[in-house]
Amino acid sequence: NAGVTQTPKFQVLKTGQSMTLQCAQDMNHNSMYWYRQDPGMGLRLIYYSASEGTTDKGEVPNGYNVSRLNKREFSLRLESAAPSQTSVYFCASRATAGEQYFGPGTRLTVT
Amino acid sequence: QQQVKQSPQSLIVQKGGIPIINCAYENTAFDYFPWYQQFPGKGPALLIAIRPDVSEKKEGRFTISFNKSAKQFSLHIMDSQPGDSATYFCAVNSGGSNYKLTFGKGTLLTVNP
């Protein structure tokens, strides 16, 4: 039982490049989330998926797209990376009672 | 508008001390108040959570105190240990049944031996 897994762990992009961050959970949860964490800012919600086939915007969605591929997988795509998207990205899945379980994160640097 | 304000930003205590971290929120519709613990290089992990129908919840050495009328909740760590040194985040559920969490900015706790 791996919980929530994320790939890659680290990534360096040049401005304008694109990439997809992958997330998978093996806890059979319906809801999944993408957050970004910046120093002194806490975690901020980018997008979430309440169930397979649905996605919705969070607090900071601009510059990102998501895909809920199936119940297990929820990916985050940066179409044209900008330095302002340098951050640590966390995926989470939620149990029925509300607890969110976080992955280990992806550290992204955009130069 | 910041939906949840967390204080202090950092806190240093001696082993055995009782650090207290506070959070204040604005919206009385929030219905779920978790605390997360994060170690460097790791993802946040749920520590303890409370709902507004109770005023206190204890799990081991960790206690949440909840004051609905003041719109405040706090985390107390009893008999703190150096291994408790981490960043702590409070959060509120601002999304109803979707559980969209809004996080405080975090408190860096250092417990000295």
Side-chain angles (χ1 to χ4, degrees):
Chain A
N1 189 340
V4 179
T5 57
Q6 293 183 236
T7 55
K9 287 187 167 52
F10 301 93
Q11 184 72 47
V12 179
L13 291 178
K14 295 187 187 304
T15 298
Q17 288 185 318
S18 62
M19 78 161 296
T20 299
L21 282 66
Q22 306 287 354
C23 173
Q25 52 95 6
D26 62 2
M27 295 175 281
N28 201 35
H29 291 162
N30 287 321
S31 299
M32 298 183 72
Y33 305 78
W34 276 105
Y35 294 89
R36 61 177 288 173
Q37 184 175 33
D38 303 293
M41 295 294 293
L43 292 99
R44 291 181 293 170
L45 182 64
I46 304 171
Y47 269 94
Y48 69 100
S49 171
S51 61
E52 186 179 353
T54 68
T55 62
D56 209 344
K57 295 178 181 178
E59 181 186 353
V60 288
N62 290 345
Y64 305 95
N65 285 301
V66 290
S67 295
R68 183 72 183 269
L69 305 170
N70 48 54
K71 191 171 186 178
R72 289 188 63 247
E73 298 172 289
F74 188 36
S75 62
L76 179 72
R77 182 160 178 84
L78 286 70
E79 290 291 351
S80 178
S84 61
Q85 294 178 305
T86 293
S87 188
V88 182
Y89 291 86
F90 289 100
C91 176
S93 71
R94 178 174 66 80
T96 306
E99 315 94 88
Q100 291 193 19
Y101 297 87
F102 285 78
T106 294
R107 189 173 296 273
L108 175 67
T109 302
V110 183
T111 61
Chain B
Q1 181 185 2
Q2 195 176 345
Q3 297 197 70
V4 57
K5 294 183 180 179
Q6 183 173 344
S7 62
Q9 280 188 304
S10 62
L11 187 55
I12 300 174
V13 300
Q14 294 298 120
K15 178 183 174 183
I18 306 175
I20 301 172
I21 305 170
N22 300 297
C23 281
Y25 62 96
E26 292 293 324
N27 191 330
T28 56
F30 297 153
D31 61 358
Y32 175 71
F33 304 86
W35 284 92
Y36 281 81
Q37 179 189 56
Q38 185 179 30
F39 294 104
K42 305 291 186 184
L46 179 66
L47 199 57
I48 187 172
I50 198 167
R51 295 189 186 273
D53 53 343
V54 296
S55 60
E56 185 176 276
K57 183 175 181 179
K58 290 184 181 181
E59 286 187 6
R61 294 185 294 108
F62 301 94
T63 299
I64 297 181
S65 296
F66 184 79
N67 187 329
K68 191 173 182 178
S69 60
K71 293 186 285 186
Q72 295 177 347
F73 59 111
S74 59
L75 176 70
H76 303 233
I77 305 176
M78 309 302 287
D79 187 26
S80 59
Q81 302 295 313
D84 295 329
S85 297
T87 301
Y88 293 81
F89 294 95
C90 65
V92 296
N93 173 26
S94 56
S97 61
N98 287 321
Y99 283 88
K100 293 164 57 179
L101 295 182
T102 299
F103 284 82
K105 294 187 176 182
T107 296
L108 177 61
L109 173 66
T110 303
V111 182
N112 288 327

